[in-house]
Amino acid sequence: MKTGDDYLASIKSLDLEAHIMGEKTGHLSEHGLVRPSQQAVALTYDGAHDRDTAELFCVESNLCRETVNRFTHLHQSTDDLVNKVKMQRYCGIKTACCFQRCVGLDAANAIFSTTFECDGKHGTPYHQRFRDYWTWVQQEDLVVDGAMTDPKGDRGKRPKDQADPDLYLRVKERRSGGVVINGAKLHQTGMLNSHEILVMPTMAMRPGEEDWAICCAVPTNSEGIHYIYGRQASDTRKLEEFGLDMGNPVFGGQEVMTVFDNVFVPEERIFMDGEIDFSGILVERFASYHRQSYGGCKVGVGDALIGATALIASMNGVGGASHIRDKIVEMIHLNETIYSCGIACSATGEQTPAGNYQVNLLLANVCKLNVTRFPYELARLATDVAGGLLGTMPSAADLSDQVAGPYIRKYLAASPEGDVVDRIKVLRLIENLVAGAGSVGYLIESMHGAGPPMAQRIMIGRQADLEGKITQVKGLLDIE
Ligand code: SF4
Ligand code: FE
């Protein structure tokens, strides 16, 4: 298993380039906007080598029987599902941001079971192909981006009816030995920090939409792929000389628009090609795994926000005030409610016909629906407790000014035990999470990542067995 440093070296050696703020940019590892996001991924590797966490991160692979990093594991029990959530919570509090490596893990588990069932029905060769591919991913300990979300163009139209057929990624050409794909995937978490990409269809396809039902793997440095880096609120603070204003001085997330301009995919990397009846199943399974994931990662980031809120309250001298303590208890209650859902959908998961374990679909969707609400309430409470200084603090540059610096230190002093710079550090971290670069992962992604709230409502409606409840009531009341 790689260490964080091994990982950073391996990503650097891919020599990826991206369009960042108007410039085609190489040497991404040295770029101020990219480096924090790579450091967050590196933590997912170091966890496997840290004495305190190795047991949680290391697990025996069912494919190669070697010890692998859990971020590449095909879940073999409900304990594995629970441990995944625990591991994500750990990474969330350590980084206070999105550490990006879960998407490929969730894609792999969904593709593993879907290909097995697809082969059973259609006689296709996908499952063994995927097993071979994923064995290699595990042994090489790679980061894999799970690429699902298509641009979708006019939402009122099907893929084949769009003015531009590439608005949903599709097979454009079939050649001997493989296919050529064209299109784009948006909002790609950690794409430039990944070695491989698992492309999946974005929704259930219908007859006539076979070309859009494509699932395959390509290396991130494939010819024809173009990356356009996503901006985050206050991101250029990462490029400033004074680290204090960054809020999160070490880690950060990454989202990338990824364009596939006639990219060739060899046959051995194709795991679905036209089997429209399995496209929706794949989407549903992937989404459910990722909705479970949020029951770990967002909770970890919530832990960081709660810690920062409690710390600023005590630095402000109001840590003991009963209404402040009550607000912090409310934050804990909301955060642990999300975690409870993450654990519950894992503990009640079930084995798939392929042998790996699937989360409880109903509870995973309940988990994610809570995530579309609770982090916003946590952010509101943190803003409340932190005070208005959260939005009005002078810059770190002024702290070192001969005239302004002493005034800032004099007038931003609060509780005598608290250092002014430490107070600013804590406030900047809260600002980062509720309104800055970190809010992309903690708030906007909580709303839309793994699907927006309506997608969870639809699944909850479908999974809840409403008819069964009606039947029970009829029985209770002796109604025919
Ligand atoms: Fe992992 Fe959470 Fe980031 Fe998704 S949002 S990749 S689950 S850390
Ligand atoms: Fe996400």
Side-chain angles (χ1 to χ4, degrees):
M1 280 177 296
K2 288 185 168 71
T3 62
D5 284 341
D6 296 336
Y7 158 72
L8 291 170
S10 72
I11 276 294
K12 196 172 178 183
S13 74
L14 292 179
D15 245 347
L16 297 176
E17 293 186 336
H19 295 266
I20 304 181
M21 314 263 286
E23 273 176 41
K24 183 94 177 274
T25 309
H27 305 290
L28 297 176
S29 306
E30 283 121 55
H31 196 289
L33 291 186
V34 182
R35 199 184 316 114
S37 69
Q38 293 195 342
Q39 282 164 186
V41 181
L43 184 114
T44 71
Y45 283 89
D46 284 332
H49 298 275
D50 185 325
R51 248 209 333 247
D52 295 336
T53 52
E55 208 180 318
L56 185 59
F57 278 66
C58 299
V59 59
E60 188 189 308
S61 160
N62 63 304
L63 296 177
C64 59
R65 294 289 159 208
E66 294 164 27
T67 302
V68 298
N69 189 307
R70 189 178 291 285
F71 273 100
T72 66
H73 186 48
L74 299 166
H75 318 296
Q76 297 301 299
S77 63
T78 52
D79 277 353
D80 273 348
L81 289 168
V82 168
N83 284 332
K84 173 197 165 194
V85 170
K86 288 183 177 170
M87 176 177 74
Q88 289 168 313
R89 183 171 188 170
Y90 167 83
C91 294
I93 189 171
K94 281 284 175 190
T95 60
C97 71
C98 166
F99 38 89
Q100 309 147 54
R101 203 178 173 188
C102 330
V103 199
L105 166 66
D106 292 340
N109 274 278
I111 295 169
F112 186 79
S113 62
T114 307
T115 49
F116 182 86
E117 289 161 47
C118 180
D119 289 2
K121 184 171 173 195
H122 295 294
T124 42
Y126 301 139
H127 187 67
Q128 188 55 48
R129 266 186 207 169
F130 186 73
R131 291 180 81 100
D132 294 343
Y133 170 66
W134 202 255
T135 304
W136 171 72
V137 167
Q138 287 185 334
Q139 288 176 325
E140 295 295 317
D141 201 4
L142 302 179
V143 178
V144 180
D145 176 279
M148 179 166 275
T149 308
D150 288 332
K152 297 196 189 84
D154 180 342
R155 272 38 172 196
K157 291 190 174 139
R158 298 292 305 176
K160 65 179 171 38
D161 301 324
Q162 297 287 334
D164 180 346
D166 296 334
L167 286 167
Y168 285 75
L169 185 140
R170 65 183 175 125
V171 174
K172 190 174 165 194
E173 191 189 326
R174 286 168 207 288
R175 291 187 195 154
S176 71
V179 300
V180 175
I181 56 173
N182 217 48
K185 294 289 183 184
L186 303 188
H187 328 304
Q188 291 306 297
T189 298
M191 176 61 93
L192 288 160
N193 297 336
S194 304
H195 306 92
E196 287 277 310
I197 307 169
L198 267 174
V199 172
M200 294 170 282
T202 203
M203 64 182 192
M205 297 298 168
R206 296 177 185 166
E209 295 171 349
E210 285 75 9
D211 287 346
W212 288 272
I214 176 76
C215 173
C216 58
V218 287
T220 42
N221 59 358
S222 301
E223 210 185 318
I225 303 188
H226 301 267
Y227 300 108
I228 307 166
Y229 210 70
R231 289 217 64 176
Q232 298 176 335
S234 311
D235 52 3
T236 44
R237 289 189 190 190
K238 294 175 189 172
L239 305 173
E240 291 171 6
E241 187 187 336
F242 300 94
L244 187 57
D245 287 350
M246 268 174 78
N248 187 335
V250 185
F251 301 111
Q254 174 192 99
E255 313 291 335
V256 184
M257 176 192 280
T258 304
V259 177
F260 297 76
D261 187 352
N262 292 298
V263 175
F264 179 72
V265 187
E267 204 168 72
E268 64 272 17
R269 291 288 189 260
I270 297 174
F271 312 119
M272 175 186 290
D273 182 10
E275 291 76 16
I276 49 168
D277 48 342
F278 283 92
S279 57
I281 294 170
L282 178 57
V283 173
E284 195 170 274
R285 288 185 189 171
F286 166 74
S288 298
Y289 280 123
H290 209 54
R291 289 167 194 173
Q292 169 214 23
S293 286
Y294 282 25
C297 80
K298 303 300 179 207
V299 179
V301 180
D303 286 329
L305 183 60
I306 293 167
T309 306
L311 190 53
I312 198 64
S314 84
M315 285 176 162
N316 288 349
V318 293
S322 64
H323 70 101
I324 297 287
R325 283 168 57 165
D326 193 52
K327 281 167 189 161
I328 288 168
V329 167
E330 177 67 8
M331 292 174 79
I332 295 167
H333 168 71
L334 293 167
N335 207 41
E336 298 299 337
T337 302
I338 299 173
Y339 187 56
S340 306
C341 294
I343 294 296
C345 72
S346 305
T348 57
E350 284 179 359
Q351 194 169 26
T352 71
N356 65 334
Y357 273 67
Q358 172 72 42
V359 292
N360 177 311
L361 299 185
L362 174 61
L363 297 185
N365 280 280
V366 171
C367 177
K368 173 66 213 307
L369 192 57
N370 282 337
V371 172
T372 66
R373 296 173 179 161
F374 296 175
Y376 286 86
E377 184 60 15
L378 274 134
R380 191 183 76 78
L381 289 162
T383 305
D384 179 353
V385 173
L389 192 57
L390 194 58
T392 62
M393 265 175 298
S395 75
D398 291 317
L399 255 179
S400 44
D401 182 85
Q402 272 188 349
V403 177
Y407 285 139
I408 294 170
R409 287 171 201 276
K410 175 177 163 76
Y411 288 110
L412 294 191
S415 148
E417 303 94 66
D419 175 79
V420 169
V421 175
D422 287 347
R423 189 176 178 220
I424 293 174
K425 276 185 191 170
V426 179
L427 285 167
R428 288 287 181 212
L429 176 63
I430 297 173
E431 180 197 36
N432 171 277
L433 288 170
V434 306
S439 70
V440 174
Y442 189 56
L443 298 178
I444 299 174
E445 191 176 24
S446 287
M447 182 67 75
H448 289 289
M454 202 55 213
Q456 286 105 64
R457 287 181 174 280
I458 290 168
M459 282 292 285
I460 288 170
R462 257 195 236 150
Q463 297 283 330
D465 186 24
L466 196 55
E467 280 308 311
K469 297 182 203 308
I470 292 171
T471 306
Q472 289 292 338
V473 172
K474 281 184 175 170
L476 177 71
L477 301 177
D478 195 21
I479 297 173
E480 280 288 301

